[in-house]
Amino acid sequence: MAHKKGQGSSRNGRDSNGQRRGVKVFGGERVNAGQILVRQRGTRVHAGANVGMGRDHTLYARVSGQVRYTVHGEDQNNTVSIVAENSPA
């Protein structure tokens, strides 16, 4: 068995691609229905009014409107909700 590594051997040369998580739309911005708001693992941000949660905890807009982030309760839960646009009738 050799006691020296051969030339050019690297044991630490691998890296993974970023998963592109995070907030995609910030408070006050206008969104369309179905648009992704937050990509996350677990519920760092909770779904509020007019916001749905995907199987992988991704939050998305159920209706078109303006995004609003708030902090709720003793636990200081971050919540995102959509203030729906008034459609002219």
Side-chain angles (χ1 to χ4, degrees):
M1 299 284 288
H3 291 284
K4 298 279 186 185
K5 293 187 282 184
Q7 280 187 341
S9 95
S10 172
R11 295 167 68 186
N12 204 16
R14 296 167 302 282
D15 196 6
S16 60
N17 295 325
Q19 295 188 357
R20 294 163 177 85
R21 292 189 202 137
V23 176
K24 305 300 181 187
V25 180
F26 295 94
E29 292 187 52
R30 191 193 166 288
V31 294
N32 295 321
Q35 195 167 339
I36 292 174
L37 307 174
V38 181
R39 286 226 182 247
Q40 60 186 355
R41 288 294 170 264
T43 52
R44 293 173 63 95
V45 179
H46 294 263
N50 299 319
V51 174
M53 186 184 308
R55 197 180 60 178
D56 62 349
H57 300 110
T58 294
L59 302 181
Y60 62 92
R62 289 182 182 256
V63 296
S64 297
Q66 192 172 18
V67 178
R68 178 178 293 161
Y69 287 90
T70 54
V71 178
H72 280 285
E74 315 173 346
D75 298 337
Q76 301 292 307
N77 289 332
N78 291 324
T79 304
V80 61
S81 55
I82 304 293
V83 178
E85 298 173 336
N86 295 332
S87 57

